[in-house]
Structure formats: structure tokens, C-alpha cells
Amino acid sequence: MAKLHAYLNFDGNCEEAFTFYEKVFQTKNPGFMRYGDVPADPHMPPISDEAKNKICHTAISINGESMLMGADVIPDFGQAYVQGNNTYVMLMCDNRDEAKTLYEALSVNAKVVEMPLGETFFAELYSSFQDQFGICWMVYFGGNKDEDCESKG
């Protein structure tokens, strides 16, 4: 079965965001590949001096199975950064404590809290919010309500 990984695009603050996420998930980032490290390619436009220090790719392991990956979007390659709510990273937690810990850490300086962590009809604990970097998250612990949703399907 394919593993689900989230890939996040940033507007020049990828390194700052991943330094933050490294602390939240208590993991080590193996490093950052910068646009200046990318070999020149005659089929690609040149990279501006301004973009050379931006992040081309980085990744952290969340639990040995899932990866959080990211990059800065740069105009040199015709990319346009658009921040929106069309992408959420869903964290399906194993227990209440994990859900509370992740919510409290990730929601620090949140731009928007759509639903604070709490009980819903479909989960013992659920939250959705946009973190300080503009990334939309869902924290979910179904608990006994997982079975309720399956039986009503």
C-alpha cells in the first residue's frame, strides 16, 4: 500500500517552517537542498542569485512511515505561490494525549483556528486550523466514535 506523505510549498520561509516542525515532531531534519545546489540544466531557466539560498527540497520523518516534505516556490521556474485552504495535513492520532500534544504545539501563533480541539459527532477529539506559516492542519483522534462512523456508512 502506498504511504501518504504531505508536501508543502512555501513563499521563502520553508527552512523556518521545517525548523519549527522538527521541534513539534521531535525528529531530526537530515538537511536542506537549496536551489543553488541544483546543477545547471540547459532545459531549465537559470536560477537567480536571490533564489539560490531558498529551499529546493527538505523532508522530515514523522513516525518512520510518514514524511513531511517541502520546498520554497520560486518565480525562476514559473511557479507562483498561492496560499489557500485547499490542502490540509491530516494527523490521525493513536490516543488523546498525542492529539492534545500535537494540537498545542502546532497551533502556537495560529493564523486561524477553524475548530479548536474538542469532541465532535465523528471524533473524540478533532481540530482544524491554519498554523503560523499558513499550512492547514487537522488533528484527529476517533476513539470509540470511529466505529460509530463506520456503522453509519
Side-chain angles (χ1 to χ4, degrees):
M1 181 65 67
K3 296 177 182 173
L4 178 65
H5 302 300
Y7 206 101
L8 310 175
N9 290 317
F10 295 87
D11 190 23
N13 62 343
C14 180
E15 186 168 3
E16 178 186 358
F18 270 76
T19 299
F20 174 77
Y21 297 144
E22 185 178 345
K23 291 175 189 168
V24 168
F25 293 107
Q26 301 173 8
T27 189
K28 181 74 177 135
N29 187 327
F32 296 95
M33 178 186 289
R34 298 183 189 282
Y35 282 100
D37 299 330
V38 176
D41 182 340
H43 303 290
M44 298 294 290
I47 298 168
S48 68
D49 287 341
E50 180 184 327
K52 286 183 179 177
N53 200 40
K54 292 187 179 179
I55 304 304
C56 177
H57 177 76
T58 192
I60 58 174
S61 175
I62 301 297
N63 60 11
E65 296 289 324
S66 300
M67 298 288 294
L68 188 61
M69 297 177 255
D72 286 315
V73 173
I74 60 169
D76 296 359
F77 295 148
Q79 302 168 325
Y81 176 79
V82 178
Q83 187 173 346
N85 63 357
N86 60 332
T87 301
Y88 282 81
V89 179
M90 169 70 108
L91 299 173
M92 297 187 77
C93 300
D94 291 331
N95 56 61
R96 296 177 71 81
D97 289 339
E98 182 179 49
K100 287 178 183 178
T101 298
L102 289 172
Y103 172 75
E104 289 171 6
L106 281 169
S107 64
V108 169
N109 299 322
K111 288 185 176 185
V112 177
V113 177
E114 298 161 332
M115 291 183 67
L117 189 67
E119 186 173 359
T120 67
F121 72 93
F122 59 87
E124 286 187 23
L125 289 175
Y126 174 80
S127 176
S128 62
F129 57 95
Q130 188 181 65
D131 75 11
Q132 63 185 318
F133 301 104
I135 303 303
C136 296
W137 295 86
M138 295 175 186
V139 176
Y140 172 89
F141 170 66
N144 294 327
K145 295 191 176 192
D146 275 337
E147 296 173 302
D148 292 345
C149 288
E150 290 175 4
S151 66
K152 294 176 185 173

